[in-house]
Amino acid sequence: RKPPECTDLFGSQNVQSSIGYQTGDGVCYYMGQLRSGRWSLLDPRRPQAGLKLTYTGGSPCDGDTRRSTEFHFECNPDAGKGEPVAVFGDCEFVVTWETAYACPLQQARLMSFLWWGFLIFCLYVVVGFFYNVRFKNMTPDLGAIPHVQWLQWFGALVSAILQNILETVGDRVPWARTAILFCRSKIGSAYDSIGGGGGDLG
């Protein structure tokens, strides 16, 4: 909304669109052009801190400096939509706004999805093991775990991939070969296990 101080000075049709206006004592200053809005991170080293929206190209202020406005949307999961908590500045205005919408929701959703997926998988294994032992009279060992063959094959596959990665790193970083050989000894002979059992799966 264009303030009356600005329309009185420039005329309603001549007042530029601005993110805000600084008025008083018969003056009207633009605090940043709407079309100049740019998003960025508050702290590139800490993306979870929040976001920043910057408007530049306002009226001249203190020589070569032009007025600008920055909205600092600070991550606060408990703030909900939130509201501005502070406004300060003279030529470069800063508005701090605590809000949950500035938090990395996608990362939180992914971690929540992985966590619940892991819990469901564990529950499936435990319930399946109990069912096989109680109602199918299976021996309470690894064979009673549901789909144990696929789990063993998947574990062997992951071990084989890790071994190949370690071999590649060892070829390119000779000084790390001792540590890599130690890790390979801990991983075991998973690659040979796949080679021996892979025919049954095919």
Side-chain angles (χ1 to χ4, degrees):
R1 183 187 174 200
K2 301 173 182 178
E5 292 88 346
C6 296
T7 56
D8 290 343
L9 282 174
F10 307 119
S12 178
Q13 301 300 322
N14 297 323
V15 178
Q16 300 178 14
S17 296
S18 174
I19 189 60
Y21 302 88
Q22 186 180 17
T23 61
D25 297 329
V27 299
C28 173
Y29 299 127
Y30 304 119
M31 297 170 62
Q33 300 180 16
L34 282 178
R35 64 175 181 271
S36 68
R38 295 292 183 272
W39 287 97
S40 61
L41 294 172
L42 274 178
D43 186 350
R45 297 168 297 180
R46 297 175 55 251
Q48 68 274 18
L51 301 170
K52 177 171 62 175
L53 178 58
T54 304
Y55 294 92
T56 58
S59 300
C61 179
D62 291 343
D64 295 333
T65 303
R66 301 186 72 88
R67 286 172 171 81
S68 63
T69 301
E70 289 186 355
F71 289 89
H72 289 189
F73 297 100
E74 301 174 353
C75 172
N76 184 346
D78 301 324
K81 181 180 178 180
E83 60 184 15
V85 296
V87 181
F88 55 91
D90 188 11
C91 294
E92 298 176 347
F93 302 91
V94 176
V95 180
T96 59
W97 190 321
E98 293 185 0
T99 173
Y101 293 105
C103 300
L105 297 180
Q106 191 64 33
Q107 179 181 358
R109 289 174 182 171
L110 176 61
M111 295 303 296
S112 177
F113 174 79
L114 293 176
W115 172 247
W116 281 107
F118 175 74
L119 288 181
I120 292 173
F121 172 76
C122 292
L123 181 63
Y124 168 77
V125 171
V126 171
V127 173
F129 181 86
F130 174 80
Y131 177 84
N132 290 335
V133 173
R134 178 68 176 80
F135 297 101
K136 291 188 175 182
N137 297 320
M138 297 180 65
T139 304
D141 55 17
L142 289 178
I145 298 177
H147 303 294
V148 65
Q149 297 87 353
W150 286 102
L151 293 176
Q152 290 174 332
W153 180 85
F154 180 75
L157 177 62
V158 171
S159 297
I161 292 174
L162 289 176
Q163 284 201 34
N164 289 332
I165 293 175
L166 291 175
E167 289 176 359
T168 302
V169 173
D171 293 338
R172 297 188 178 184
V173 188
W175 57 266
R177 186 174 299 276
T178 301
I180 291 172
L181 291 175
F182 174 79
C183 292
R184 287 190 58 188
S185 67
K186 295 299 181 181
I187 292 175
S189 57
Y191 185 81
D192 295 336
S193 298
I194 292 179
D200 295 336
L201 294 174

